[in-house]
Amino acid sequence: EDKVVQSPLSLVVHEGDTVTLNCSYEVTNFRSLLWYKQEKKAPTFLFMLTSSGIEKKSGRLSSILDKKELFSILNITATQTGDSAIYLCAVEPTNRDDKIIFGKGTRLHILP
Amino acid sequence: NAGVTQTPKFQVLKTGQSMTLQCAQDMNHEYMSWYRQDPGMGLRLIHYSVGAGITDQGEVPNGYNVSRSTTEDFPLRLLSAAPSQTSVYFCASHSTYEQYFGPGTRLTVT
C-alpha cells in the first residue's frame, strides 16, 4: 500500500534553532514529492522535488530528496516564531489518474 | 486570476441535511481534488477529477458525491450530513508543478 510517513509528528524548539523535518514514502511509480506549510488557512506550496540530490532552497528553508532511500528532509535554519505551522509532505504518482498521497504532517512550534 | 475559490467559508448543518460545497478555479487546471482535514489524520482525499466529465473516488468517498461538468467547477455534495462529516474541507487544483488549495470550508454537523 502506498504511504507517506512524516516524523516527528510534533516538535517544539526555541527561536534561532535549526530544525529538520523528515518524510519517507513508499509509492509505486513516483513522480514528485511536495512540501507544504499550513498555518491557520489552506496549505501553501513550498517545494516540489523530482530529482535526487538536488537541494531546493528558499530563504531559510531548504529541502532535498533521496530517491534511493525514499525520503526527503525539510530544513529550516534560524527559526522564527512565524515558522510555527504544520508542515505537510505529499507524493505525486507518475500516473495522473492516481491520487496524491499526503503524510499526516509535522506540527512545529517555535518558542520566542 | 483568483486561483482556487471555495464557498461557503463556514457552515453548520443538522444531521440528515444535504448541501453542496462549491469550488472553482480559473487556472485551466485539469486536475482537481477535495480533501478533508481532521486532527491527527492529516489531509485525506475524498474525490478527485482528472478532467471535465471524469471523477474518481479517493480515500474517504462515502457520504459525498462530486461532478465535473466544466473544467472550472468541482462541487462536493453531502447527501445526508452526519456528525462524522464535521471537518475542514479543502478543494485543490493541480498543475504539472504545484498544487493550489482553496481557503477551506469549516463544516459542523450537529
Side-chain angles (χ1 to χ4, degrees), chain B:
Chain B
N1 190 332
V4 180
T5 58
Q6 280 183 245
T7 56
K9 290 185 178 178
F10 301 95
Q11 182 71 50
V12 179
L13 293 177
K14 294 186 176 180
T15 298
Q17 288 184 315
S18 62
M19 78 158 296
T20 299
L21 306 184
Q22 301 292 342
C23 175
Q25 53 97 3
D26 60 0
M27 297 170 283
N28 203 33
H29 291 163
E30 292 184 0
Y31 198 109
M32 296 185 72
S33 310
W34 274 103
Y35 297 89
R36 59 177 289 173
Q37 184 171 37
D38 303 292
M41 304 292 285
L43 281 169
R44 292 184 292 169
L45 183 66
I46 304 171
H47 286 284
Y48 64 102
S49 167
V50 298
I54 306 169
T55 64
D56 205 347
Q57 295 181 349
E59 186 182 355
V60 287
N62 292 338
Y64 307 94
N65 271 358
V66 291
S67 60
R68 186 91 181 274
S69 56
T70 66
T71 300
E72 293 79 19
D73 299 299
F74 191 42
L76 177 73
R77 279 181 281 279
L78 279 71
L79 308 172
S80 177
S84 62
Q85 294 178 304
T86 293
S87 187
V88 179
Y89 292 84
F90 289 106
C91 175
S93 77
H94 187 259
S95 73
T96 302
Y97 301 105
E98 57 190 12
Q99 188 170 28
Y100 297 86
F101 286 87
T105 296
R106 183 173 292 278
L107 175 68
T108 302
V109 183
T110 60

Side-chain angles (χ1 to χ4, degrees), chain A residues 31 34 36 38 41-43 45 48 86 88 92 96-100 102-104, chain B residues 31 35 37 40-43 45 48 50 58 90 94 96-99 101-103:
Chain A
R31 173 187 169 92
L34 305 156
Y36 295 89
Q38 183 175 18
K41 300 179 181 178
F45 173 78
M48 172 180 272
I86 296 173
L88 293 165
E92 180 186 12
R96 293 198 67 199
D97 289 343
D98 291 334
K99 55 186 183 289
I100 294 174
F102 277 86
K104 293 186 178 180
Chain B
Y31 198 109
Y35 297 89
Q37 184 171 37
M41 304 292 285
L43 281 169
L45 183 66
Y48 64 102
V50 298
F90 289 106
H94 187 259
T96 302
Y97 301 105
E98 57 190 12
Q99 188 170 28
F101 286 87

Side-chain angles (χ1 to χ4, degrees), chain A residues 42-55:
Chain A
T44 54
F45 173 78
L46 294 176
F47 299 112
M48 172 180 272
L49 303 159
T50 57
S51 301
S52 271
I54 299 175
E55 184 182 53

